[in-house]
Amino acid sequence: QSALTQPPSASGSPGQSVTISCTGTSSDVGGYNYVSWYQQHPGKAPKLMIYEVSKRPSGVPDRFSGSKSGNTASLTVSGLQAEDEADYYCSSYAGSNNFGVFGTGTKVTVL
Amino acid sequence: QVQLQESGPGLVKPSETLSLTCAVSGYSISSGYYWGWIRQPPGKGLEWIGSIYHSGSTYYNPSLKSRVTISVDTSKNQFSLKLSSVTAADTAVYYCARFTMPQYYFDYWGQGTLVTVSS
């Protein structure tokens, strides 16, 4: 099972929006509405930001939103803030044989 | 508040078995949910290792399945990871996390523990 493809980096100025893509196949991202997104600051554990494509856990700001079209999922961070600078990983269920897979990760820089 | 804490040796010799335990507080493993292990080599991305239900049902990453064993001890409210025949490629930060199936997401994570494979 190959990792989902994410751009290595993305950036934006404070207050702007940044969108990160996560591309898989019809066997994972395209086949199920089970895409999740994680934020990871240096030296810290990942934090769940989005699950089931577009749902936000309690406590996650509504500046974070998720969507999916075909085999590509996206995470949008609106109104960028300095604390949003981190690595972001997507993940998707990939069926009962392969189970699940993470993305390659994207480093978001707030300019 | 659910909390998870990994423990185990930080240094393992090549060809030996890596053993880690994850202690859970604030939630009874017997109440439900799956519990899993994820690792992250230094400077690299995340890799799911495997998950276990309180009943003992397990799911493993096919690429690691031949070397991985995950077990649960509901009396101690903890679960464990064993990874055999380790090499330098198994050097990573190992995280334990609560896992929701089949939606496949991890909502509570431990802080992680670095395991180095070296002689």
Side-chain angles (χ1 to χ4, degrees), chain A residues 12-36:
Chain A
S13 299
Q16 290 186 333
S17 295
V18 65
T19 297
I20 305 165
S21 61
C22 169
T23 301
T25 69
S26 58
S27 296
D28 39 61
V29 174
Y32 310 91
N33 287 323
Y34 294 151
V35 176
S36 53

Side-chain angles (χ1 to χ4, degrees), chain A residues 1-2 4 22 24-36 38 52-53 68 90-103, chain B residues 34 48 59 99-106:
Chain A
Q1 181 70 23
S2 299
L4 306 175
C22 169
T25 69
S26 58
S27 296
D28 39 61
V29 174
Y32 310 91
N33 287 323
Y34 294 151
V35 176
S36 53
Y38 302 86
E52 293 182 47
V53 177
K68 190 187 86 166
C90 63
S91 183
S92 173
Y93 181 61
S96 58
N97 289 330
N98 293 310
F99 213 66
V101 62
F102 282 100
Chain B
Y34 283 79
W48 171 70
Y59 297 89
F99 177 60
T100 294
M101 269 285 289
Q103 295 88 342
Y104 195 76
Y105 62 86
F106 301 90

